[in-house]
Amino acid sequence: MCGIFGYVTNKEEALGPILIAAAERLTYRGYDSVGAATLNSGKIDLRKDVGKVDSVAAKYNIAEMRGQRGITQLRWATFGEPSQVNSQPHLDSNGDMVGAHNGNVVNNVELRLEFMAEGMTVRSQNDGETCVHAVERYISRGYEFIDAIRLAYGDLEGDYAFVIGRANDDKLYAFKKGSGMVIGIGDGFTCLSSDLPSILPLTREVIRPQDGEIVTLWADRVEVRSVKDGKIIQRIPETVTESMDAVQKGGYPHFMLKEIHEQAQVARELIHLLDGSPDVQPLVEKMKNARHLYLIGCGTSYHAAAVGSVYIAQLAGLTAIPVLAPQFIAQYAPAVGYEDVGIFVSQSGETKDVLNALEAAEKRGMACFGLANVVGSTLTKATSFCLPLCCGYEISVPATKTFTNQVVTFLYLAYRLAGKDTSELLRIPELMEQTIEMVGPQIEAIAKDINEWNDMYCLGYGATYPIALEGALKLKEITYAHCEGMLSTEFKHGPLSAVSKGFPIVFVAGPNDVPLIISGINEVKVRGARTITIAEEDARLRANGDDLVVIPKSDAQISALLGVLPLQLLSYHMSVLRGFDPDFPRNLSKTLTVD
């Protein structure tokens, strides 16, 4: 996710403490590297490295840095492994400009090659440096700074917010496309940040730039211009009244709810990144030519792999075997070889069970690839290459946005395997936003109705079966109720005996599976169950069940993905109703590094 902060004042002063404090207030976003730059009297002082804010600040004496303008950045690696050279901020070729960004520039690889061919000094693999060179390209061609930014904006594809300054100048410049940015106006200074927490202790007068806008910051004023035509846009500052805690949570009462609402945006960023990734096509070719293809994970990551296996079969006509990592060692590892391919899935990239399975597979010569959220983690280093999930930091222990981005990645790979147009997937983020808006009040009401129950079932079929498993896991994790996820057709083979009057059973129905789900609904309704069906609008489901939670119309694959959102919200609301903290459930850890 990364975080940037910039500061402009009218006199030389000790900016180091200001930059350190701002960086510390952005740490909740997650990061692996820290850097700071100050600009003063035609000179740029740049200090950065991998590590935590306090350790990097102490190692490089950042507190002593002085200047009239300053930039700090916390990096969450996507392009380029965590390293000193890939840390931000970055310099241009001659060291006359310095900048940093938050987000992902998905045509990073192509642009780096262009810049090197044009004779620029490219020092890293990081797309933050690409933003600097994108501006440098047009400055070196004689354009004024605002016009250089406007042209650079057209070259940079993806979602990002970027700040840049020149040594012999008294301003900072910033522009955004997709990622967050807030401007602060104080007494004798201005500042900017990826979001509010790093600004609020300094000032509560803010401006929120929109996509396609350029902001110029002087010590005593700011100016907003349109990227499209360069014209000035009038923007009246607003006064922020929320507390720091509320702001860190984006105004939501818990990080889990905030992260549920972030899913559409991170999915959008992921799809853009996959479109520009040079690693996707080699992986698709390996998957297509594999003797056996395995998708290996644990818990939520296994559920995503199970959804992915259905997608790959339905769309590409290929068999992908989803398997829990410890079971892979016993059941499949002894038989795999060089002709087989494994995709190892882990949110943290440090899941011990997954790493054990990876080690067993590599000993047999299997081609091993990864899917993880933390670039630089053990999994990303141990596999041939690893696709990033681009979720930023997920603070709440129950996985939400990391799960949906895993599913989106598998759907993207299935599209590529099938030769389908992946631009069709660009509708997913909007559909996710619509789903959350449509189901919110109804799910909250249902949570109140069934909250007294400590036993329930969540049933699905096909691609919605692993979605049901994931929904049941969320309910177990944070409500402490027992909810069993199951294939809907298996319910009659024993569990049906548990049904009593009012017993809640949740069905997740794909658009092609309605007749089968109707049979399941009636099977339990005649025995007194309360049925809750998550599906697209369908008169048959309304006629046969109790509650129909309607999600937007899409297709069989996307509908399954949308179906998990009401389940996330249901578990969240029931947890809160029971007086539990959904962000930090008992007995659980975000990263499982033990067997």
Side-chain angles (χ1 to χ4, degrees):
M1 184 176 284
C2 306
I4 56 173
F5 174 84
Y7 189 87
V8 182
T9 183
N10 54 15
K11 62 183 183 301
E12 179 188 344
E13 59 180 276
L15 295 185
I18 295 172
L19 299 179
I20 292 171
E24 287 174 339
R25 290 191 290 270
L26 287 170
T27 56
Y28 78 97
R29 295 170 64 90
Y31 67 106
D32 49 58
S33 311
V34 184
T38 54
L39 302 91
N40 190 52
S41 302
K43 296 180 180 179
I44 296 175
D45 183 0
L46 174 61
R47 311 179 190 190
K48 59 180 183 175
D49 211 340
V50 174
K52 298 300 181 182
V53 172
D54 54 356
S55 62
V56 174
K59 181 178 179 180
Y60 292 94
N61 296 316
I62 290 177
E64 72 177 16
M65 296 176 71
R66 300 181 63 83
Q68 291 181 298
R69 290 160 293 147
I71 296 171
T72 188
Q73 200 261 16
L74 272 62
R75 178 174 183 247
W76 179 270
T78 300
F79 286 100
E81 67 179 6
S83 67
Q84 199 275 337
V85 70
N86 283 324
S87 301
Q88 299 194 49
H90 292 284
L91 297 170
D92 70 336
S93 298
N94 300 320
D96 296 325
M97 295 189 294
V98 65
H101 92 315
N102 163 40
N104 292 303
V105 176
V106 299
N107 58 337
N108 173 55
V109 174
E110 299 93 321
L111 287 175
R112 287 178 65 252
L113 293 174
E114 291 178 18
F115 297 149
M116 287 186 282
E118 293 170 21
M120 296 186 198
T121 302
V122 179
R123 304 174 180 88
S124 75
Q125 293 79 47
N126 182 239
D127 50 337
E129 182 180 7
T130 293
C131 293
V132 178
H133 291 308
V135 177
E136 177 190 353
R137 163 188 274 172
Y138 295 105
I139 293 291
S140 65
R141 295 177 185 177
Y143 287 91
E144 294 296 323
F145 213 93
I146 291 294
D147 289 329
I149 287 174
R150 292 174 58 206
L151 291 163
Y153 186 93
D155 290 344
L156 297 166
E157 298 175 8
D159 298 277
Y160 57 85
F162 178 61
V163 57
I164 188 170
R166 288 191 293 185
N168 291 300
D169 203 341
D170 60 349
K171 303 178 285 295
L172 290 179
Y173 304 85
F175 54 98
K176 73 178 291 288
K177 179 185 178 185
S179 293
M181 185 167 69
V182 184
I183 307 299
I185 303 171
D187 184 9
F189 72 91
T190 59
C191 57
L192 68 96
S193 177
S194 295
D195 56 19
L196 279 170
S198 59
I199 286 180
L200 286 190
L202 302 172
T203 179
R204 287 182 172 264
E205 297 297 309
V206 304
I207 291 174
R208 302 175 192 264
Q210 303 302 305
D211 288 350
E213 293 181 353
I214 306 166
V215 183
T216 306
L217 295 91
W218 291 267
D220 58 354
R221 69 188 191 281
V222 300
E223 182 180 85
V224 183
R225 291 181 179 269
S226 167
V227 166
K228 184 177 180 180
D229 55 21
K231 292 182 179 179
I232 292 178
I233 299 170
Q234 299 298 329
R235 192 62 53 74
I236 299 173
E238 62 178 279
T239 301
V240 177
T241 58
E242 295 99 326
S243 68
M244 176 67 79
D245 182 64
V247 166
Q248 283 187 321
K249 294 176 180 174
Y252 296 99
H254 298 93
F255 282 107
M256 182 179 179
L257 189 59
K258 175 177 181 281
E259 288 160 3
I260 289 172
H261 282 263
E262 287 176 343
Q263 289 176 109
Q265 179 58 27
V266 297
R268 184 177 292 111
E269 293 180 9
L270 174 65
I271 294 166
H272 288 160
L273 182 137
L274 292 172
D275 280 337
S277 172
D279 292 329
V280 170
Q281 189 56 36
L283 177 57
V284 167
E285 292 301 321
K286 288 283 188 180
M287 295 169 70
K288 191 179 296 185
N289 296 317
R291 179 181 64 174
H292 298 298
L293 172 61
Y294 300 93
L295 312 180
I296 302 139
C298 293
T300 287
S301 295
Y302 165 72
H303 298 157
V307 179
S309 71
V310 178
Y311 287 164
I312 291 168
Q314 290 178 342
L315 295 174
L318 298 175
T319 298
I321 303 167
V323 57
L324 289 161
Q327 189 65 12
F328 172 83
I329 296 173
Q331 187 171 351
Y332 295 106
V336 302
Y338 291 96
E339 297 172 290
D340 301 311
V341 171
I343 300 178
F344 294 80
V345 190
S346 168
Q347 298 156 33
S348 66
E350 303 292 349
T351 308
K352 187 63 163 54
D353 289 336
V354 174
L355 297 178
N356 289 345
L358 174 62
E359 182 180 8
E362 287 182 327
K363 285 180 179 178
R364 298 285 302 179
M366 189 170 83
C368 299
F369 305 92
L371 178 59
N373 193 41
V374 183
V375 177
S377 60
T378 302
L379 182 65
T380 64
K381 293 178 179 179
T383 50
S384 296
F385 58 78
C386 190
L387 294 178
L389 292 174
C390 302
C391 296
Y393 195 39
E394 191 174 61
I395 293 176
S396 186
V397 169
T400 52
K401 58 183 179 177
T402 49
F403 171 75
T404 50
N405 265 18
Q406 287 172 344
V407 173
V408 168
T409 301
F410 281 121
L411 182 54
Y412 188 96
L413 292 171
Y415 263 58
R416 291 286 290 267
L417 285 164
K420 289 173 64 69
D421 183 1
T422 56
S423 66
E424 296 175 13
L425 302 179
L426 292 172
R427 61 190 172 130
I428 289 176
E430 183 178 356
L431 289 169
M432 294 173 82
E433 291 169 344
Q434 291 175 8
T435 300
I436 291 173
E437 184 178 356
M438 288 170 63
V439 308
Q442 185 182 7
I443 286 293
E444 196 166 356
I446 290 172
K448 292 177 182 177
D449 288 347
I450 68 172
N451 191 48
E452 65 183 53
W453 288 86
N454 284 316
D455 289 287
M456 60 195 79
Y457 281 86
C458 189
L459 310 180
Y461 180 83
T464 66
Y465 166 45
I467 295 296
L469 293 177
E470 174 62 14
L473 177 60
K474 286 291 159 286
L475 284 159
K476 286 192 282 275
E477 282 180 317
I478 62 174
T479 71
Y480 311 147
H482 172 255
C483 182
E484 187 172 350
M486 183 174 287
L487 192 68
S488 60
T489 55
E490 278 291 290
F491 196 72
K492 60 183 175 288
H493 294 287
L496 188 60
S497 64
V499 175
S500 59
K501 185 174 178 56
F503 192 101
I505 300 179
V506 181
F507 292 85
V508 191
N512 299 331
D513 307 322
V514 172
L516 193 67
I517 295 299
I518 287 174
S519 294
I521 289 172
N522 282 284
E523 186 176 71
V524 299
K525 268 199 61 110
V526 297
R527 291 165 174 83
R530 160 87 177 265
T531 64
I532 301 149
T533 308
I534 298 169
E536 296 178 5
E537 180 61 64
D538 191 294
R540 296 168 295 176
L541 291 172
R542 282 201 182 277
N544 284 274
D546 294 318
D547 298 281
L548 178 61
V549 179
V550 177
I551 59 177
K553 286 191 176 296
S554 53
D555 58 38
Q557 290 76 39
I558 295 175
S559 182
L561 171 61
L562 300 179
V564 81
L565 305 180
L567 293 170
Q568 293 172 346
L569 289 168
L570 180 65
S571 61
Y572 168 78
H573 288 300
M574 287 182 64
S575 176
V576 172
L577 285 169
R578 292 172 180 226
F580 304 138
D581 184 347
D583 289 336
F584 304 105
R586 69 191 185 201
N587 303 332
L588 298 181
S589 171
K590 191 69 176 173
T591 304
L592 293 172
T593 58
V594 295
D595 292 317

